[in-house]
Amino acid sequence: LMHLTKKLIEIRTMLLSIDQSDSLKLPSIVVIGSQSSGKSSVLESIVGHEFLPKGNNMVTRRPIELTLIHTPPSSDGSVPTEYGEFPSLGLGKITNFTSIQKVLTDLNLAVPNAEAISSEPIDLRIYSPHVPDLTLIDLPGYVQISSLDQPEELREKISTLCDKYIREPNIILSVCAADVDLANSPALRASRKVDPLGLRTIGVVTKMDLVTPDQGVGILTNNRYPLHLGYVGVVAKSVGKTSSASTGTVARRGEDDYFSAHREFFGPSSSSSGIMVGTDTLRRRLMEVLESSMASSLHSISNAVQLELEEATYQFKVQYNDRRISPESYVAETVDALKARFREYATQFRKPAVRERLKGMLDERVMDIMEQLYWVDKRVEELGALSADAKIKTADDMDVYWRHKLSAASSLLTKSGVGRDATVLVADGLRALIDSIAGGEPFNHHPRAAERLVQFSHAILRDRIGMTSDQVENCIKPYKYEVDMDEREWEVGRTRAVELFEKEMTMCEGKLSEIRKKVGGRRRLSGLVGYVKELEEKQREKKVRKLKGEIVDVDEQEDVESYRYPQGQILDARHAMLYGDRLATLKLRLAALKSKRCKAGPESDVFCPEVFLNVVADKLAHTSTMFINIELLDHFFYQFPREIDSRLIYDLDRKEIIEFARENPIVRRHLDLQDRKDKLEEVMKQLNSLSTLRADATPTPRRQ
Ligand code: GDP
């Protein structure tokens, strides 16, 4: 039947890992007692080793969930080694009990002094052929006298913690010292509150050697505080210090000597006198009580587990349609999705798209150059008139002035650092793409992976930018000297230039109407503009007079006048005038672009610098695209998926994979429910096999 306890202890451990709710708890033995009552000594004599933290002021600060697992000798008769294990710390098997003591001491010391007590249990399992199958929970000892270093608050904390553990279905081991009046035992007081009849409380009276055998018997048979499960007297004083300090083994000889020396009072060690003494008796008693308690919990725990399992199964069906996942599959799916997403986005970086983007950048540059060299030129109207002039047949007849202008404009464009700018433009596009992937689902849940993704992709780009820029710059070099173009290219450029001018005009008109709306209508704006022009005229006159050496008075009236409109509106009027002028120029140039002269072909380049520059820009975009494609894009698209494999996942171990998957709350919930369901299923299976076991053990009446 010992088999049952062992099995149930296993089940209890599994249940604890499922959740901490009381409904899923199998009973355990909870050890309570006041400080120095000999609680540690009792536990150590049950285990047969000294392993609990000792020393001045060294009290248990966290509950210790102590699971003892009896390891039977193997079939060849060899005795298994004893060892301890802290499952949540991952320290492996610890065969040296002094090391276990050290770990426990460290865990205790890790509780901040301000807190003094932590309710977070320490899980310790001890495997040994010398221990019974038992689960014991060691709790901080009750503080009896409040002193400076153990204030009232600590006292409260300890009793709250103990109260939590002495609830049903746990068995209470109430430790009291024989030399202290039982009436003063906080442990008995606490247990009587929750278990007045002592149906699940065992009293342990320590330090039997400190009272006369007579008194000892009196305490054990005491009728003032009767416990249904009775009292056990022990002498648990550790003599390890002198006899076997090196092995840490607790010698029990002292106890045996004591009780056999007073046989006339306590009877033979396995007595039937009703008086229970000795650690061996205590152990047996604990095993019996735990076993029967567990057996009687079996039915209710089976029901509770069954209910939980049904609920989990239902939820798993409803929420996830029974779809199972694993951290590994999640990682693999994430990586696949990332690559697929990237491939999809990569179409944005095919050659035509890149060329379009570069052309856009260069178009703007062309417009800037036009503005800088032509539109602000007072003679620009002349250019239109000249092109219409019948006497000027070819560009060769043109003024050298316009010829110079054109070659200056062309130089500005070809020498504007296109190699670097084009490369950076494309690289920035890639960076923005990666950043948006890293910032979106599911990488928003995986900040560290997202950061790595960004880092290595930026690194690939950084590595290539310099070289690519140089290559591109090199390849567009010929255009810095001359650009050949044919009729067809010219016509394409002209059409494009017309489009751009129309767009520019629309933009200017838009701005103008915005200003109009802002100042309050067309009439109001022309009033404003008229006024500003007047002001400007006056200022000009003043300047001229000043230049002529005349003394100019500060005309008060005029200064006041400038406040006729708010300053902001005057500024608006000035802007409106600029846009107006710009529109006039654009209209003129647009007409030129649509004229016969511009339609004639490349020989009209001097008349139509817009078209010429547009064709140059197109060639620059084309050439840049080719080399950026080879040097930057091809390389990046080759490298990126490989880096994902090698830097994002292949160096993750199992623990990191689980961590990664659990970062995503949706996946975490899925895994948690799945895990819970699996564990409950396993527990249910074990519980079922236990009941069949028990059913087999009960003799069934033979049928007639
Ligand atoms: P805890 O604070 O309740 O864990 O108490 P300990 O187990 O540390 O014991 C307190 C003191 O009482 C220690 O000095 C022990 O050696 C001593 N002690 C424990 N059990 C006995 C016993 O049965 N007889 C005697 N004489 N001393 C004991």
Side-chain angles (χ1 to χ4, degrees):
L1 266 181
M2 280 305 71
H3 186 66
L4 180 68
T5 312
K6 196 182 194 72
K7 261 281 181 276
L8 281 170
I9 287 174
E10 274 169 29
I11 291 173
R12 181 176 177 276
T13 309
M14 281 170 78
L15 285 172
L16 280 183
S17 79
I18 295 173
D19 65 29
Q20 296 284 331
S21 85
D22 277 350
S23 63
L24 290 188
K25 265 190 186 144
L26 276 166
S28 175
I29 300 164
V30 179
V31 189
I32 55 170
S34 50
Q35 278 176 19
S36 300
S37 60
K39 204 159 58 69
S40 315
S41 306
V42 170
L43 274 168
E44 286 178 341
S45 64
I46 291 172
V47 172
H49 284 279
E50 213 181 309
F51 67 99
L52 288 167
K54 298 279 157 60
N56 276 344
N57 219 357
M58 193 50 185
V59 290
T60 303
R61 292 180 164 207
R62 291 172 61 179
I64 303 173
E65 285 261 2
L66 181 63
T67 306
L68 306 181
I69 298 124
H70 177 76
T71 45
S74 47
S75 48
D76 62 6
S78 65
V79 181
T81 28
E82 294 178 280
Y83 64 92
E85 217 177 39
F86 294 92
S88 54
L89 299 187
L91 299 170
K93 297 179 180 180
I94 308 175
T95 48
N96 183 341
F97 282 75
T98 312
S99 307
I100 295 178
Q101 190 173 36
K102 173 93 180 46
V103 174
L104 285 174
T105 305
D106 291 347
L107 289 173
N108 259 338
L109 290 175
V111 177
N113 268 328
E115 279 178 38
I117 295 291
S118 156
S119 60
E120 180 94 15
I122 298 168
D123 195 2
L124 168 61
R125 299 187 193 157
I126 289 174
Y127 297 79
S128 160
H130 310 304
V131 297
D133 289 305
L134 280 180
T135 60
L136 297 150
I137 300 168
D138 183 29
L139 290 171
Y142 288 107
V143 182
Q144 276 185 291
I145 337 137
S146 301
S147 60
L148 266 183
D149 52 330
Q150 294 182 335
E152 190 62 27
E153 199 190 324
L154 178 71
R155 209 170 146 144
E156 294 273 308
K157 257 187 161 170
I158 293 173
S159 41
T160 312
L161 182 63
C162 292
D163 286 349
K164 201 181 109 192
Y165 275 95
I166 58 179
R167 288 197 295 237
E168 278 191 274
N170 285 340
I171 295 151
I172 307 166
L173 200 66
S174 247
V175 180
C176 327
D179 58 345
V180 178
D181 188 353
L182 286 198
N184 292 331
S185 159
L188 270 184
R189 215 175 301 140
S191 66
R192 285 170 63 83
K193 250 194 272 173
V194 293
D195 178 32
L197 300 179
L199 296 176
R200 52 184 185 94
T201 306
I202 302 178
V204 175
V205 180
T206 57
K207 309 190 187 180
M208 288 290 284
D209 56 325
L210 294 187
V211 292
T212 60
D214 206 28
Q215 288 170 312
V217 171
I219 296 170
L220 295 182
T221 54
N222 113 80
N223 290 321
R224 260 172 72 202
Y225 307 106
L227 294 177
H228 182 76
L229 295 182
Y231 288 86
V232 183
V234 296
V235 177
K237 184 175 172 162
S238 156
V239 288
K241 287 260 151 45
T242 47
S243 68
S244 50
S246 56
T247 57
T249 312
V250 176
R252 220 178 291 138
R253 229 190 46 226
E255 182 178 62
D256 291 345
D257 288 352
Y258 180 82
F259 288 120
S260 41
H262 303 285
R263 196 166 298 180
E264 70 276 23
F265 292 95
F266 304 109
S269 47
S270 57
S271 87
S272 52
S273 62
I275 295 179
M276 295 185 283
V277 290
T279 306
D280 281 332
T281 312
L282 177 61
R283 293 222 259 174
R284 255 197 318 277
R285 191 83 186 112
L286 290 178
M287 284 157 75
E288 282 161 18
V289 171
L290 185 64
E291 162 139 327
S292 76
S293 166
M294 280 197 159
S296 64
S297 298
L298 194 57
H299 186 68
S300 66
I301 202 80
S302 292
N303 284 343
V305 170
Q306 182 64 38
L307 277 179
E308 291 290 330
L309 176 59
E310 275 163 18
E311 176 63 16
T313 307
Y314 173 77
Q315 290 298 341
F316 195 63
K317 169 89 195 152
V318 171
Q319 291 183 41
Y320 304 110
N321 197 20
D322 284 338
R323 191 171 57 88
R324 296 189 63 85
I325 56 167
S326 68
E328 284 80 3
S329 70
Y330 173 70
V331 170
E333 274 166 29
T334 307
V335 166
D336 285 350
L338 172 61
K339 288 182 185 168
R341 186 100 166 281
F342 186 69
R343 267 198 302 277
E344 184 189 307
Y345 278 124
T347 54
Q348 291 175 9
F349 290 88
R350 295 243 176 79
K351 270 194 272 182
V354 172
R355 196 155 52 226
E356 191 62 28
R357 218 185 273 203
L358 293 183
K359 184 68 195 320
M361 176 186 91
L362 291 166
D363 282 344
E364 244 168 64
R365 204 160 283 186
V366 168
M367 288 306 230
D368 287 348
I369 293 170
M370 287 307 299
E371 174 174 19
Q372 215 179 311
L373 292 188
Y374 285 88
W375 301 342
V376 295
D377 189 325
K378 294 261 157 33
R379 290 176 62 182
V380 69
E381 284 178 35
E382 221 177 88
L383 189 60
L386 284 172
S387 74
D389 192 336
K391 276 188 280 177
I392 296 174
K393 292 275 189 304
T394 66
D396 294 341
D397 300 336
M398 279 288 282
D399 195 330
V400 68
Y401 178 81
W402 295 111
R403 191 147 287 294
H404 272 311
K405 263 242 147 136
L406 183 66
S407 75
S410 179
S411 275
L412 261 185
L413 181 58
T414 54
K415 293 176 187 166
S416 62
V418 172
R420 174 122 208 129
D421 293 349
T423 308
V424 169
L425 181 77
V426 175
D428 281 349
L430 284 171
R431 274 196 204 111
L433 169 64
I434 299 294
D435 293 352
S436 88
I437 290 180
E441 279 282 340
F443 283 95
N444 50 346
H445 304 300
H446 309 296
R448 279 169 305 153
E451 196 185 311
R452 254 183 295 166
L453 181 68
V454 167
Q455 260 170 11
F456 73 66
S457 49
H458 286 202
I460 307 174
L461 290 172
R462 248 194 328 271
D463 273 359
R464 304 298 298 182
I465 283 180
M467 192 204 262
T468 310
S469 308
D470 291 351
Q471 272 284 2
V472 174
E473 200 59 47
N474 235 344
C475 297
I476 61 168
K477 204 169 178 180
Y479 299 128
K480 293 179 186 172
Y481 299 95
E482 65 173 339
V483 186
D484 291 325
M485 52 189 80
D486 59 26
E487 302 273 342
R488 199 191 51 81
E489 289 169 334
W490 178 269
E491 185 49 28
V492 171
R494 194 188 66 83
T495 320
R496 175 91 175 147
V498 167
E499 269 168 30
L500 288 172
F501 268 69
E502 282 169 346
K503 220 171 84 191
E504 186 80 11
M505 284 176 74
T506 317
M507 198 269 291
C508 285
E509 276 158 2
K511 292 271 186 208
L512 257 182
S513 81
E514 245 172 56
I515 295 175
R516 227 177 272 136
K517 223 189 275 163
K518 198 169 145 205
V519 300
R522 187 184 295 272
R523 288 251 298 286
R524 169 107 178 147
L525 183 61
S526 53
L528 265 169
V529 166
Y531 172 69
V532 170
K533 277 187 179 155
E534 217 174 276
L535 273 184
E536 280 175 355
E537 188 53 37
K538 275 190 192 148
Q539 257 159 15
R540 200 162 23 242
E541 270 170 26
K542 232 195 271 179
K543 233 183 250 164
V544 172
R545 273 160 53 203
K546 242 191 208 160
L547 281 176
K548 284 185 185 161
E550 287 176 32
I551 298 161
V552 183
D553 292 342
V554 182
D555 193 330
E556 294 286 340
Q557 191 56 33
E558 196 182 308
D559 268 2
V560 171
E561 277 234 298
S562 66
Y563 291 106
R564 216 166 78 194
Y565 293 103
Q567 278 300 303
Q569 294 210 342
I570 301 226
L571 200 67
D572 287 335
R574 287 189 204 281
H575 284 157
M577 284 159 71
L578 286 178
Y579 282 119
D581 290 352
R582 170 63 41 87
L583 264 173
T585 311
L586 290 174
K587 216 180 274 175
L588 232 119
R589 291 310 305 155
L590 188 61
L593 285 174
K594 289 176 173 172
S595 72
K596 241 196 229 145
R597 180 72 90 177
C598 272
K599 283 180 182 159
E603 76 264 19
S604 301
D605 54 359
V606 182
F607 298 112
C608 317
E610 299 85 355
V611 180
F612 179 80
L613 291 180
N614 210 294
V615 177
V616 176
D618 204 43
K619 286 177 186 285
L620 291 176
H622 196 92
T623 309
S624 306
T625 302
M626 252 165 20
F627 285 91
I628 287 175
N629 194 50
I630 298 168
E631 297 292 342
L632 187 73
L633 292 168
D634 276 359
H635 191 86
F636 186 76
F637 287 121
Y638 176 83
Q639 199 73 6
F640 185 73
R642 280 160 184 78
E643 297 277 300
I644 292 178
D645 290 342
S646 67
R647 302 228 194 162
L648 211 56
I649 41 164
Y650 280 172
D651 59 347
L652 294 186
D653 58 28
R654 165 97 184 138
K655 203 172 134 245
E656 288 167 317
I657 287 176
I658 295 173
E659 238 169 64
F660 177 85
R662 294 183 62 83
E663 280 172 357
N664 187 336
I666 297 164
V667 175
R668 189 175 56 231
R669 275 194 296 275
H670 193 157
L671 283 173
D672 280 348
L673 183 59
Q674 176 178 302
D675 200 42
R676 183 182 168 84
K677 179 175 149 288
D678 288 354
K679 279 180 173 164
L680 285 167
E681 256 164 20
E682 180 57 30
V683 168
M684 204 57 229
K685 213 167 76 192
Q686 304 229 5
L687 284 171
N688 284 338
S689 76
L690 269 189
S691 20
T692 37
L693 205 84
R694 282 167 61 80
D696 288 349
T698 357
T700 39
R702 206 186 294 158
R703 277 209 220 141
Q704 299 295 313

